[in-house]
Amino acid sequence: GDCYLAEGKQSEAAKLYRLVITTFPDTDGARLARLRLAESGVAEGRVLVDGLASGDARLGDIKLYEELAAGKGPMAQRAKVRIGLWYYWRRDYLKAAEQLRQVMTKETLPTDLSETCRYAIAESLYRQTKACYTQGRFSDAVKLYGYWGKWFEGGQRAEAFYYLAESFRRVHLPEDALKLFVKAQPGPWREDRRMETLYGLGLVRL
């Protein structure tokens, strides 16, 4: 099944996975086959997270993930991560972040899953913060950072700190805003947003 999947022959792969499930129902092979069917052949890690954000990838049935997550071992761990990514795909960013944080704090994960979780949490928080900022819900953005704090650090989005810094500035918390503006400076920025960051820094220093 995995060979067919690697060759892009999803229909043939699905037939073999279903055969394993019906022939050997209560085995690790059957549980792995269910996971493969649920995944629908999408990639792991940051490729998956970024693909979901751009609409280039899709996740399968969450019920299959929940069934697998009720078990133990590596496949259960992957299923729990997939549940978080499923919420991310549905743009339920806070639920995604909470699910993935629970997995990270309660499970001993292999490096690839740990990195995927950390990246996806930060990406979820970035998107939630951006939504708060663009909708003028500055107090909500401030509360979000107060609750999640260090979890913002796992991503590549310096822009998240810009939205946070501006939100802190708008609710008249200049000292916190200054620290976040400093965090927002590194990274590949559009020139207009980089100048906005520097302008914001100037405002809180006045």
Side-chain angles (χ1 to χ4, degrees):
D2 286 355
C3 291
Y4 278 128
L5 203 59
E7 294 173 2
K9 299 176 181 178
Q10 293 189 346
S11 177
E12 290 87 345
K15 290 177 184 177
L16 283 177
Y17 291 139
R18 291 191 182 98
L19 179 63
V20 171
I21 291 168
T22 55
T23 308
F24 309 102
D26 193 26
T27 64
D28 285 344
R31 285 185 278 274
L32 179 59
R34 288 193 188 94
L35 184 59
R36 289 289 189 264
L37 284 173
E39 289 174 347
S40 300
V42 292
E44 289 290 346
R46 294 187 179 189
V47 173
L48 172 60
V49 177
D50 295 339
L52 291 176
S54 63
D56 294 335
R58 292 292 182 268
L59 290 174
D61 188 349
I62 192 172
K63 291 180 181 178
L64 284 171
Y65 295 130
E66 290 173 340
E67 178 185 337
L68 290 164
K72 296 180 179 179
M75 280 180 284
Q77 289 180 337
R78 289 189 179 276
K80 290 172 185 176
V81 172
R82 290 287 169 158
I83 291 171
L85 297 178
W86 190 89
Y87 287 126
Y88 178 90
W89 172 47
R90 297 295 296 270
R91 295 182 172 85
D92 193 342
Y93 298 123
L94 288 182
K95 203 163 186 177
E98 189 59 49
Q99 167 69 18
L100 294 168
R101 180 169 69 171
Q102 289 294 320
V103 177
M104 285 198 74
T105 54
K106 293 181 178 180
E107 304 273 351
T108 302
L109 299 176
T111 301
D112 66 320
L113 279 189
S114 180
E115 290 179 351
T116 295
C117 285
R118 189 77 188 193
Y119 182 78
I121 290 170
E123 195 68 10
S124 297
L125 295 175
Y126 157 72
R127 292 180 181 279
Q128 186 67 25
T129 302
K130 183 178 180 180
C132 290
Y133 175 79
T134 55
Q135 294 165 17
R137 296 187 288 116
F138 305 120
S139 294
D140 288 345
V142 169
K143 290 176 184 176
L144 190 70
Y145 187 68
Y147 183 76
W148 287 93
K150 66 178 183 178
W151 295 94
F152 278 87
E153 304 284 349
Q156 303 285 313
R157 303 276 195 172
E159 194 170 359
F161 294 108
Y162 168 78
Y163 294 131
L164 288 167
E166 270 295 299
S167 296
F168 273 91
R169 187 178 72 81
R170 300 291 182 94
V171 298
H172 310 294
L173 293 169
E175 291 184 5
D176 295 295
L178 180 60
K179 294 174 184 176
L180 290 163
F181 273 126
V182 171
K183 285 179 177 288
Q185 287 188 85
W189 281 84
R190 296 195 324 258
E191 187 62 23
D192 59 336
R193 187 53 55 78
R194 191 176 71 84
M195 293 307 295
E196 288 173 11
T197 302
L198 295 175
Y199 176 69
L201 264 172
L203 287 178
V204 295
R205 282 172 169 163
L206 289 176

